[in-house]
Amino acid sequence: ALKSGRTCAMSGTLLEQARNLHEDLEILEKAMYRELGDPATAHLKRVDEVARDQVVATLLDAHTQRAKRLAAVYEDGDGARREEIQAMSGSTVFSAFYDQLKLLRDYHRKHNIAPPSEVYERELLVDVLEGANEQTFTGEEAEGRYLDMHALHEAYINLKGVDKETDYASYLKAAAQLANVPKPTALTSGYVRYVKSLRDYWEGFLTRTQPLLPLADILTKATTAFDERWAKGEFTRWQGGGAEMENGGDPISLEGVSSAAELEVHGLEKLKAELARLGLKCGGSLSQRAERLFLLKSTPLEQMPKAHRAKGGAGGGGGGAE
């Protein structure tokens, strides 16, 4: 709560809460305007520009939260605002007025607060900015001018099937070229963990260096576009047919796999081929096939329950239609 207490006792009525929220929104808008200044005359260094944008992003987040609260007041889902307005009309209008006047007098008598618009404005901004999570950079990132991907580079060269001699500079140039990673490497659980870490770092770096970028909207659109292309089978590397799909390709290794979900990266057809090769049932959804294959982590093939074996399968590798 703010030191002045203006958002506490005086906010007993919804109308007063709405007035306070309107005032907060105006203060935050003025603060953002002051921070951004005139683009035509502002010539900031990159470091100062990033710091300014982080402040504006914090103010914008506070503005968004208060705007949502104000919208909820006006939507009046429980009808409390309508009842409050109705109480100010009709035969009880004067009694309601004097009741509110008494509350205001009691409040000011207790707190002895003069009209402190400038004080309240300062307290609000301090409360918002000091309560925000600090966005820091590593020494290598130099206040957002450079990437610091040394840990990711170390994780990359420890993956199976990649060039162990890849230096840091070469890695930075190729880090985004995921399609160039050998497919056997891309199918390992270690690579899945590496890619998740890579994405998390890039998202975090963009959030810190470009805090006003609508990153969530951009990622949502990208995910939707990907899902549409996947549904159309346009990713031939993972969805294509041909000899590799027919023969199943190389056997799937369970080494280093810690959950059935990690096996889902192989796709329906690859899992079907592997299950059929082992003489296990190969039907079902992607997650069901992955779970069936993952059972081999704890259960030897010859001890697999009959419920998971294909008809006529000896549990060792014959054809496997369900």
Side-chain angles (χ1 to χ4, degrees):
L2 300 181
K3 296 177 183 177
S4 66
R6 285 179 64 180
T7 58
C8 300
M10 288 187 67
S11 299
T13 69
L14 289 174
L15 294 179
E16 182 64 19
Q17 290 179 32
R19 191 199 66 76
N20 284 338
L21 288 169
H22 275 294
E23 184 177 359
D24 286 0
L25 293 178
E26 184 176 346
I27 291 172
L28 293 168
E29 288 167 4
K30 287 168 57 179
M32 285 187 282
Y33 177 79
R34 287 196 300 266
E35 285 291 333
L36 290 171
D38 186 354
T41 59
H43 299 287
L44 299 177
K45 294 181 179 180
R46 176 58 182 161
V47 174
D48 296 329
E49 185 179 349
V50 170
R52 178 205 64 191
D53 287 353
Q54 288 183 351
V55 170
V56 174
T58 300
L59 295 171
L60 181 60
D61 182 61
H63 185 281
T64 300
Q65 292 176 15
R66 284 163 172 78
K68 289 180 178 178
R69 286 161 51 191
L70 182 59
V73 171
Y74 281 119
E75 286 171 1
D76 197 23
D78 57 1
R81 180 173 177 271
R82 182 177 63 255
E83 292 177 0
E84 189 173 305
I85 294 174
Q86 289 175 346
M88 296 180 181
S89 60
S91 60
T92 61
V93 61
F94 289 107
S95 61
F97 171 79
Y98 284 112
D99 287 342
Q100 291 297 321
L101 181 60
K102 183 178 183 300
L103 287 175
L104 289 174
R105 284 176 172 173
D106 290 344
Y107 174 83
H108 284 283
R109 187 180 301 110
K110 179 180 179 180
H111 296 280
N112 192 27
I113 298 176
S117 58
E118 293 183 3
V119 174
Y120 176 71
E121 180 175 339
R122 183 167 58 252
E123 289 180 354
L124 172 63
L125 296 178
V126 169
D127 185 66
V128 168
L129 295 175
E130 289 187 351
N133 294 326
E134 186 178 2
Q135 301 290 345
T136 59
F137 296 96
T138 66
E140 292 286 344
E141 289 173 331
E143 299 298 325
R145 287 183 292 174
Y146 307 106
L147 294 168
D148 180 7
M149 296 175 58
H150 287 85
L152 289 163
H153 171 240
E154 186 71 20
Y156 174 80
I157 60 177
N158 282 299
L159 294 173
K160 296 179 180 179
V162 303
D163 184 4
K164 308 297 183 183
E165 303 300 321
T166 303
D167 58 42
Y168 184 63
S170 300
Y171 167 73
L172 288 178
K173 296 177 181 178
Q177 308 301 321
L178 301 182
N180 294 336
V181 175
K183 192 170 182 179
T185 300
L187 292 173
T188 63
S189 58
Y191 182 76
V192 174
R193 289 191 293 270
Y194 160 75
V195 170
K196 288 181 179 178
S197 298
L198 184 66
R199 172 178 170 147
D200 289 344
Y201 175 76
W202 281 342
E203 285 187 17
F205 188 79
L206 282 173
T207 299
R208 287 177 291 141
T209 56
Q210 300 183 53
L212 298 178
L213 183 72
L215 185 58
D217 293 339
I218 293 173
L219 292 176
T220 298
K221 291 178 181 178
T223 301
T224 301
F226 173 85
D227 291 341
E228 291 175 354
R229 293 185 62 191
W230 182 272
K232 296 177 183 178
E234 296 181 6
F235 295 97
T236 56
R237 188 187 190 200
W238 302 105
Q239 298 174 286
E244 184 178 358
M245 284 297 183
E246 293 177 8
N247 300 327
D250 296 329
I252 296 176
S253 173
L254 298 180
E255 183 180 355
V257 177
S258 58
S259 69
E262 294 180 14
L263 293 172
E264 294 181 10
V265 298
H266 295 282
L268 281 166
E269 296 303 319
K270 178 69 176 180
L271 290 172
K272 177 181 178 180
E274 181 68 6
L275 291 167
R277 185 183 70 81
L278 295 169
L280 300 175
K281 289 183 178 180
C282 55
S285 65
L286 178 63
S287 60
Q288 289 172 333
R289 296 180 190 185
E291 290 169 0
R292 196 176 302 132
L293 183 59
F294 186 70
L295 287 174
L296 291 173
K297 284 282 291 186
S298 58
T299 306
L301 182 58
E302 59 274 10
Q303 296 180 17
M304 284 289 282
K306 291 183 179 180
H308 296 297
R309 297 186 184 185
K311 293 180 180 179
E322 187 169 323

